[in-house]
Amino acid sequence: MMLLKDNDVVLFQGDSITDAGRTYDDGASLGLGYPLLIASKLGHLFPEKNLTFLNRGISGNRVVDLQGRWNEDCLDLKPTWVSIYIGINDTWRRYDGGGETTPEQFEASYRDIIVRTKETLNANLILIEPFVLPVPEDRKGWREDLDPKITVVRELAREFGAIYIPLDGPFAAASAQVEPAYWAADGVHPSPAGHGLIADAWIRAVGATR
């Protein structure tokens, strides 16, 4: 069943994976990644619903960055659906010297933006699980940090009744068929095929098939 209703406003939030090269001074810019693929597919399949899609992903963001700009880049936009995809930079910064985000800190910031969204908008929530692939080799060591954060996202989705989109397992499964670099050359940033995988998972999760 298609969950999106007439005149719904869908906001995509996150880091560079969501940003995907969007033009910041153009509020309608969707970038070149999964938000564009979703908007183009659903706009084509459901023109009668008059759906609006917004992208406010910013490259390099961690969850605390979303927390800091949540009023302007989420609540003030009054979306009816909020799709959040964050977490890999909270892991990455630990390994490039930019500072660690503990699971407890990650959970507290993530919880805050969810609570503020529910209290202010009562919007529908979609939480997307971060992933990492083992290319280059050092990415294998990131699992120690990322796995607890994936658990946090899963638990928050269950607690708040959000739609949950798993990606870590699907990307691992896809990488069993074709080398991981095909899906994300640096183990983090999806290729066009990788963005297609995310978009398809999102579309299925909201029942938007025809």
Side-chain angles (χ1 to χ4, degrees):
M1 182 180 68
M2 169 59 153
L3 300 180
L4 303 184
K5 306 303 182 184
D6 292 356
N7 303 309
D8 268 344
V9 177
V10 179
L11 172 65
F12 298 103
Q13 263 292 1
D15 50 36
S16 59
I17 299 172
T18 302
D19 179 334
R22 72 179 180 90
T23 302
Y24 288 7
D25 59 4
D26 178 2
S29 175
L30 292 172
L32 299 173
Y34 75 90
L36 177 63
L37 297 179
I38 292 168
S40 62
K41 183 68 175 288
L42 299 193
H44 164 62
L45 290 178
F46 302 95
E48 73 281 0
K49 288 190 173 294
N50 190 38
L51 302 172
T52 299
F53 296 91
L54 303 172
N55 185 350
R56 292 299 184 271
I58 294 182
S59 182
N61 268 195
R62 296 179 292 174
V63 70
V64 69
D65 300 306
L66 295 193
Q67 188 181 16
R69 60 184 179 85
W70 205 244
N71 286 346
E72 176 184 359
D73 285 348
C74 178
L75 305 183
D76 291 351
L77 299 175
K78 296 180 170 55
T80 53
W81 288 83
V82 180
S83 176
I84 306 171
Y85 184 2
I86 199 71
I88 193 60
N89 287 320
D90 292 271
T91 287
W92 200 331
R93 295 293 83 81
R94 173 180 174 180
Y95 297 100
D96 69 2
E100 180 180 2
T101 302
T102 67
E104 293 77 18
Q105 292 169 329
F106 184 75
E107 189 271 342
S109 293
Y110 212 136
R111 176 180 296 277
D112 177 64
I113 63 176
I114 290 174
V115 169
R116 287 159 61 192
T117 302
K118 298 297 284 187
E119 289 180 347
T120 304
L121 304 175
N122 195 31
N124 300 286
L125 293 172
I126 299 174
L127 306 188
I128 304 177
E129 171 183 284
F131 77 93
V132 69
L133 294 176
V135 287
E137 281 289 313
D138 69 336
R139 301 293 192 256
K140 292 180 179 178
W142 290 17
R143 298 239 60 103
E144 175 188 7
D145 188 272
L146 185 63
D147 286 349
K149 293 179 172 64
I150 290 174
T151 298
V152 166
V153 182
R154 289 174 179 167
E155 291 177 348
L156 288 172
R158 181 170 58 250
E159 177 180 346
F160 288 95
I163 292 175
Y164 186 74
I165 301 179
L167 289 186
D168 198 52
F171 268 98
S175 296
Q177 305 301 316
V178 184
E179 69 273 12
Y182 175 82
W183 303 103
D186 64 355
V188 171
H189 295 96
S191 64
H195 277 286
L197 188 157
I198 297 169
D200 282 353
W202 198 101
I203 289 167
R204 287 195 305 273
V206 300
T209 56
R210 201 177 247 184

